[in-house]
Each structure stands twice: as structure tokens, then as C-alpha cells.
Amino acid sequence: MMARCLARFLVSLLALAICNAASVSHPISDSHRSAALDVFVPLDGSYKSLEEAYEALKSLEILGIDKKSDLSSGTCENVVKVLASPSSALKDVFYALSVNGILKCKTGEDVPKDIVSKLQAGAKDAKLLLDFYYSIRGLVLVKEQFSGTDLTLGDAEAIFRSVKALSQSDGRWRYSSNNAESSTFAAGLAFETLAGVISLAPSEIDQSLIQTVKTGILKLFDSIQKYDDGTFYFDGSEGPISTTASVIRGLTSFAASESTGLNLPGDKIVGLAKFFLGVGIPGDAKDFFNQIDALACLEDNRFSVPLILSLPSTVISLTKKEPLKVKVSTVLGSKAPALSVKLAEALNSKGSSVINNQELKFDADSATYFLDSFPKNFDVGKYTFVFEILLDESANEKGYITEAQTKVPIAATGAIGIENAEIAVLDSDVGSIESQKKLDLTKDGVVSLSANHLQKLRLSFQLTTPLGLVFKPHQAFLKLKHESQVEHIFLVKTYGKKAELVLDFLGLVEKLYYLSGKYEIQLTIGDASMENSLLSNIGHIELDLPERPEKAPLPPLHPTDPYSRYGPKSEISHIFRVPEKLPAKQLSLIFLGLIVLPFIAFLIGLTRLGVNIKSFPSSVGAATSALLFHGGIGAVLLLYVLFWLKLDLFTTLKALSLLGVFLLFVGHRTLSNLAAASNKLKSA
């Protein structure tokens, strides 16, 4: 019973995995909110940089998670420090202002004048795209956060032209005029920068310049990448997530200005939204921020707000008579405007349509569209449902857009009928039935059969769908397991209306390793559409096979459980060698004294001989060589002591070789100096 339940569970899990692996978009949910708390974890109450702090705070703010109080103290200190320092880099100032916009560390009219001057000078003197970006966007943030600040750009059109000069004919942009390499990621930064210039300009920018930028945007969309399911994305050296997010931020910022009048193709906007929703939950903090921020930009923009159709479940149980449920929302999960959902058609695996133009009902309490009844010809299997969303006029006025058609793979499951199951032993020569048993595969049986190598075993059964049609399962296996634990698996095939397997033991004696005895019989039937998948122990069969010839292959060794290697290992017992008996302590001390005595005798001999340092060189060069020579000898003696205490032989030899070369050099110099001094005395 446990094995049969396990089989059902595994097949149900397989059905869910197949359906969930398909391309079905789901809006941002509580799973993202839970994951965000794990992805954006501060270190000791703060983040490594203001850039990381901004990305974390922005993502949490979009997801509706309030963590400002936990991060405000340490982060605000960094913000105030950066804004108070005239030497702060433009990038640091930009992210300090970005964080300040969320945490409100500095408010009112308390705007640092040095920072404003730095941003204005940066915008005027910039040569690199990133300098333009941080300066202009920083001024925009100052204008938004500090009231009463006049930040209009008198030379806005000149700055606009300077930024525009970095554009390329294919819609991409360069980071500098000295770098010929262009980037799609840089295009997004440029669009944000130009949007900032437009908002800070004292008067309208020349429309011909804006029109040129709009033409470049359309050119950029010519290089957009596409999947077969209608998903669109931009690719670049920074990766598809970062690149696509940069372009979306730039486009939404540029379109926010009424003077641009930017209109983009709706199918591509929905495709970009599907790309970010299809990413799932990124484990990287940068990718997580880019995903959430890009979707927030698509949620709130001036050109079009994409609506996403999603299904709580893509599996329909015909046994439970479950309704088909559909939800329509924005990318962040907000409620959709007034609309209707229609099931345009449902195609089976053969491409035939079984449902046409069926409008779904709407449940206002759960904001769910549902189809609670299916036609009589709707059977178990795989389908492709094609949905259409019809917007009301009010929704069209607000700029909502949807896919023309949304295709969703659906799996319909049900209880499969199992009929006419029987197992029989046949005579090999005429095929007559020697013994036959009826089977109830829903229960473990106690069938007992016997056969020899001149007979056959036949297993047959019929599988039917709820509509009475022939059902061909994905998996149907018969397993014979010998009492020595040697297993053999055979595939059960479907022929016409019946699934059948015939085992001719005469042709299988070698495969069975000539092992006579008792074999357990086990049948496994499973399919993603089959709710009553089974693993049935039918019974056993006693086989009488001929003796194994000498050259016939031997049966494999007792099979080991592949998971046994993860279990506890056998204990390793090791008996260490008994330490040898040491000499007495007194004997060791006597031996030490005998070793020290020659050294003491050497010192006494030196004093008796009247050793002195009168011949020690007096000149600087000769004295230095003599000191280094004696110091080297002392180092060698110290090395011997270290070798005795802790150094190994190889380390000692390496050090000794270096010291030997050193002593050879300084010793030669010392002896040369002594010889020269001796010659001078003799000549004198």
C-alpha cells in the first residue's frame, strides 16, 4: 500500500513539474517578499556601500516591506557624511541623494550648496556618459527632495547635444567619445540622463533633437531579442537582466516628459514584462533589484501598463470536477481594470480544437475568472489553452495593454479505468494456456504461478480514459525479482486496445542467468494524466531453468543501495604502536653534561691562550665584513638550535645554503682584509 501511494505521489509530482516548467508568467507575489529579506541582508546593520543600500531599500519599498527604521541610523550617517563633503565623488553623491529620497535623512531647504555646485559643474564639464548621468540625475534628485531650490540648467540644450553626440546609428550609446565600443546598457543610462536634462531645462528642448532620440529608440528595438513564447529582452556584456532593466528605466524616464510623446509597441512592452516575470526569484542582489525596479517602472509609466494573465494551477482534475481559474493583474500584482477574459480555443495534443470562444465568469470576491464546466468531449491529456483579454474602454484610456493571445499549457488529469487484467502461463510450442489468473491491479495480489524454460508468461490489461477511449501510459513496466535480489525489468507495450507483455523464457534463460527459483512479480503503471497511477505486487512465479553452462555469464553481485554511500560509515579502529621504553631521567642528564663539557673546555682553553680582539679590523669596510662574517656564523649556530627545536631537515638545508653563500662572500672579504693588513706590517 505504501509503495502504491508513493507511486501516485511521484506521478502527481511529475505532472506538476511538467506544467510548472512551461512558460506561464506569474506576477510578483509573497514569495518575492520573503526572498527579499534573505537577499538584502545588511552587515552589522548597514550595507557595504550607498549603492547597495539604495538597491536594497528601493526593492523593499517597491515590495511594501518596511525596513527603514532598522537601517536608517547607520545609513543616514553615511548619507550626511557624503553630502557634507565637497570632495565626494559624483557617483557617491548620486547614491547618497537616492538613499536620502527614501530615508529622508536631510529634508526641507537644508541643501548642501557645495554639492549642488559640484553637480552643476559636473554636468557642464562632463565628457563621459557616466559623469553626465550622475550629475544630471543627482540634480533631479536635489530638485525633488529640497523645496525652493532653483536648479535650472541655462545651457540645457548644449548638454543635451553633448550627451546625444555619444549615440550610435543602431540606437546604442558609447560611454565616451574616445571609446568606439557601444552598449545597449549605456543607452538606458543616456535616456535617463536626457530625461533629466529635459526636466531641468528652463525652456523646451528643440523638438528636432527629441525626435532624433525617439528615432534612435526605435532603432534600438530592432536589436531586441525574442523567445518563441513572445518574451522580449535586450542583451549585452552586462547580462540580459541588467541590460534590459537599464533600457526600461531609461525609456520610462524619457517618456515621463510630456514633450517627448514617446509611443512604444505594446507587444514588446508585454514581452519585456514577461521576461522579468519569467526570471523567477533571482538569488543575486543586483539581479533582484533590477528585476523589481524594472517591473515597477513598467507598472507606473506614461506609455502603457502591461497586464499579465496567470493561472493558480495549470492542472485540471476531471475527477474532482475542478474549475479552470484565471487571474489578470499588473506585473506587481495590483488589481486589473474592468475587462473580460475569453477562452478562444483549447487544442489537444493532436492540434484539434475541443473548446471554442468560451467567455469566463468573474468572481469579484477573489478577483478570479473561471470556467466551471467543460464540454463532453473534454478528456484527460495535454492541452494548449488560448486566452484573449478584452479591455473595457475605460481601461484603454488609461493605457493598459495585454497580449493579443496568451497560450498556456494545461494538463487534464483523471481516473483511468483498468479492465480485463490477467496473467497466464502458456506452452511455448502451441501457445495453449496452462494456467491463467484474473487480476485486480488496484490491490496487491497473491498470485502463485510456476513455469519452466519451455513456457511463456503473458500479462495483459486494458486502460481507458473517463470517456472510454484507449489510454496509452507513459510508463508501464513489469519487474521480476529473484530471491537472490537480482532484478529484471521489461517494458509493457500497448497494441491497439490492449497493453500486453509476453516473456518467452527459452529466449531469456541467459538474461535470467539460469537462476531457477522464486521470482516476485511487480507491475508499475504511471502517467502525468493518470490520477490512479499504481505500483502493484501481483504475486510470484516459480521458474525451473536449466543449469548454467560453464561459459555463461555469472549473475551480478548483490546490488547495493545507491543511497547507502550517504549513510554512516563503519568505524575505523586503529591501534597505535606502543611507545618504546625511554632511559632513566638521570642517565639523560649525565649524557647532556658530557655534551656540554667540551664546550666549557673550549671556553677555558680560549682564556688560557690569551685570546683577544686586538687584530680586529679598524677600517669601516673591513670591520663591516668581519662583523657580518661573525654574525653569519652566529646565524648558523642559531639555525642549528631551531632545527633541534622545530624546523624540518629540508627547511634547514634551504636556509643553510643561503647562509653558506653569504658566509663564503663575507668570509672571503674578511680574510682578504686580514692578508692585506699582514702584508702592510711585514713591509713596514
Side-chain angles (χ1 to χ4, degrees):
M1 180 64 70
M2 182 178 295
R4 188 162 60 248
C5 293
L6 178 61
R8 293 174 183 169
F9 170 74
L10 291 175
V11 173
S12 300
L13 189 63
L14 175 64
L16 290 173
I18 291 173
C19 296
N20 289 336
S23 176
V24 181
S25 300
H26 293 277
I28 298 301
S29 62
D30 290 336
S31 299
H32 276 81
R33 295 178 179 87
S34 177
L37 297 175
D38 296 328
V39 173
F40 299 109
V41 179
L43 184 63
D44 297 330
S46 61
Y47 294 96
K48 293 181 181 178
S49 65
L50 288 174
E51 180 180 1
E52 288 187 10
Y54 167 69
E55 292 174 354
L57 290 167
K58 184 67 174 178
S59 301
L60 296 175
E61 183 182 53
I62 294 171
L63 294 173
I65 302 173
D66 186 11
K67 283 285 183 179
K68 297 179 184 178
S69 57
D70 300 337
L71 303 170
S72 58
S73 58
T75 307
C76 275
E77 288 180 7
N78 293 335
V79 169
V80 174
K81 181 179 178 181
V82 170
L83 295 181
S85 174
S87 60
S88 298
L90 290 174
K91 179 180 179 180
D92 294 336
V93 173
F94 167 74
Y95 282 110
L97 290 169
S98 299
V99 172
N100 185 65
I102 299 174
L103 296 182
K104 311 299 180 187
C105 303
K106 295 176 71 68
T107 58
E109 299 180 359
D110 185 20
V111 55
K113 296 181 179 179
D114 292 338
I115 293 299
V116 173
S117 301
K118 184 181 185 68
L119 293 173
Q120 289 175 332
K124 185 177 180 181
D125 303 332
K127 301 296 181 184
L128 305 177
L129 177 60
L130 287 175
D131 290 341
F132 280 117
Y133 176 78
Y134 292 132
S135 301
I136 298 298
R137 297 308 300 179
L139 290 172
V140 172
L141 292 172
V142 171
K143 183 179 179 181
E144 293 173 353
Q145 298 173 22
F146 300 98
S147 58
T149 306
D150 183 17
L151 296 175
T152 55
L153 293 175
D155 51 354
E157 191 161 305
I159 295 175
F160 195 101
R161 292 179 184 275
S162 298
V163 178
K164 179 65 182 67
L166 299 175
S167 64
Q168 298 286 83
S169 59
D170 59 357
R172 297 186 296 175
W173 293 64
R174 295 172 296 163
Y175 285 102
S176 70
S177 57
N178 297 326
N179 187 1
E181 185 179 354
S182 56
S183 165
T184 305
F185 183 88
L189 300 179
F191 298 148
E192 277 194 88
T193 305
L194 295 178
V197 174
I198 294 173
S199 66
L200 296 173
S203 59
E204 257 191 41
I205 300 293
D206 188 355
Q207 281 297 316
S208 63
L209 292 175
I210 295 178
Q211 186 60 41
T212 306
V213 175
K214 290 167 63 177
T215 303
I217 291 174
L218 298 178
K219 287 280 188 181
L220 184 65
F221 270 86
D222 291 340
S223 64
I224 198 170
Q225 305 292 319
K226 181 183 180 181
Y227 290 123
D228 293 337
D229 63 349
T231 298
F232 289 93
Y233 68 97
F234 292 96
D235 202 1
S237 58
E238 293 80 2
I241 295 179
S242 296
T243 302
T244 308
S246 175
V247 173
I248 289 177
R249 277 192 291 266
L251 292 178
T252 52
S253 297
F254 191 75
S257 175
E258 295 183 1
S259 61
T260 60
L262 181 63
N263 290 316
L264 296 174
D267 62 327
K268 290 185 172 60
I269 299 302
V270 176
L272 291 171
K274 288 179 64 177
F275 168 72
F276 281 107
L277 294 176
V279 169
I281 302 177
D284 179 69
K286 176 70 74 172
D287 288 342
F288 198 107
F289 162 73
N290 283 321
Q291 180 197 40
I292 299 300
D293 189 48
L295 290 174
C297 291
L298 292 174
E299 177 100 349
D300 183 19
N301 66 79
R302 297 182 70 95
F303 45 83
S304 49
V305 178
L307 296 177
I308 299 298
L309 182 143
S310 61
L311 279 72
S313 174
T314 55
V315 178
I316 300 173
S317 174
L318 300 182
T319 305
K320 300 177 182 178
K321 296 182 179 180
E322 295 175 338
L324 171 69
K325 296 181 180 180
V326 174
K327 287 191 173 185
V328 181
S329 65
T330 63
V331 292
L332 293 183
S334 302
K335 289 185 177 181
L339 52 84
S340 58
V341 178
K342 182 175 70 173
L343 178 57
E345 61 178 347
L347 304 174
N348 59 20
S349 57
K350 297 179 180 179
S352 302
S353 179
V354 295
I355 303 177
N356 289 291
N357 296 323
Q358 187 75 42
E359 186 168 342
L360 276 62
K361 301 176 183 178
F362 180 65
D363 180 17
D365 295 335
S366 61
T368 303
Y369 298 84
F370 63 94
L371 180 65
D372 54 0
S373 62
F374 297 92
K376 294 181 179 180
N377 63 339
F378 190 74
D379 207 351
V380 298
K382 292 182 179 180
Y383 295 87
T384 299
F385 281 22
V386 183
F387 296 97
E388 292 181 358
I389 300 176
L390 306 176
L391 295 170
D392 290 357
E393 292 184 2
S394 59
N396 282 323
E397 292 175 359
K398 294 181 180 179
Y400 289 99
I401 54 170
T402 64
E403 281 187 292
Q405 289 186 332
T406 303
K407 296 181 180 180
V408 180
I410 298 292
T413 65
I416 301 300
I418 306 173
E419 303 171 347
N420 302 326
E422 60 183 25
I423 189 169
V425 175
L426 310 176
D427 287 331
S428 182
D429 49 356
V430 295
S432 60
I433 299 175
E434 180 174 308
S435 61
Q436 182 172 318
K437 305 278 186 177
K438 294 288 184 180
L439 300 176
D440 182 2
L441 297 179
T442 60
K443 302 177 182 178
D444 286 341
V446 288
V447 173
S448 178
L449 300 171
S450 62
N452 58 41
H453 67 286
L454 298 177
Q455 294 177 316
K456 299 179 182 179
L457 179 69
R458 183 182 69 190
L459 172 70
S460 61
F461 53 87
Q462 290 180 343
L463 299 178
T464 56
T465 67
L467 294 184
L469 302 177
V470 176
F471 182 78
K472 185 177 180 180
H474 289 158
Q475 301 172 347
F477 302 107
L478 180 73
K479 181 168 74 174
L480 296 180
K481 185 176 181 180
H482 190 254
E483 52 194 354
S484 64
Q485 304 303 312
V486 177
E487 297 180 352
H488 305 278
I489 298 176
F490 304 92
L491 177 65
V492 182
K493 297 183 179 181
T494 301
Y495 303 96
K497 295 183 179 181
K498 184 168 63 173
E500 186 178 70
L501 172 66
V502 177
L503 298 179
D504 186 355
F505 294 122
L506 182 60
L508 293 174
V509 288
E510 188 170 340
K511 184 176 181 180
L512 296 176
Y513 304 106
Y514 296 90
L515 292 175
S516 299
K518 182 179 178 180
Y519 285 82
E520 294 180 3
I521 306 173
Q522 189 180 79
L523 177 65
T524 303
I525 304 175
D527 192 278
S529 302
M530 186 176 179
E531 293 180 0
N532 56 333
S533 298
L534 58 88
L535 190 154
S536 177
N537 295 307
I538 296 175
H540 70 273
I541 182 171
E542 287 280 349
L543 286 182
D544 182 14
L545 303 179
E547 292 187 6
R548 184 179 65 84
E550 275 189 35
K551 296 184 179 180
L554 294 172
L557 298 176
H558 182 72
T560 57
D561 183 2
Y563 295 102
S564 62
R565 60 176 178 167
Y566 301 113
K569 304 298 181 183
S570 57
E571 184 179 354
I572 299 175
S573 58
H574 180 73
I575 301 176
F576 292 93
R577 187 178 64 180
V578 179
E580 296 180 1
K581 188 176 180 180
L582 298 176
K585 182 178 179 182
Q586 293 79 3
L587 182 61
S588 298
L589 292 175
I590 293 171
F591 185 73
L592 177 63
L594 292 174
I595 293 174
V596 174
L597 278 176
F599 181 69
I600 297 174
F602 171 71
L603 296 178
I604 295 173
L606 290 178
T607 57
R608 293 291 184 182
L609 294 172
V611 175
N612 55 65
I613 58 172
K614 293 180 179 179
S615 298
F616 198 85
S618 57
S619 63
V620 176
T624 302
S625 298
L627 288 173
L628 290 175
F629 178 68
H630 287 83
I633 293 175
V636 171
L637 295 176
L638 178 62
L639 181 63
Y640 287 159
V641 174
L642 292 176
F643 170 65
W644 181 265
L645 295 176
K646 64 176 183 178
L647 294 181
D648 57 79
L649 179 62
F650 294 103
T651 305
T652 304
L653 289 176
K654 288 179 184 178
L656 188 60
S657 62
L658 296 175
L659 285 173
V661 174
F662 174 75
L663 283 172
L664 181 64
F665 175 74
V666 296
H668 180 267
R669 292 289 302 272
T670 302
L671 292 175
S672 298
N673 292 330
L674 290 175
S678 177
N679 290 333
K680 286 182 180 180
L681 290 173
K682 290 179 180 179
S683 61

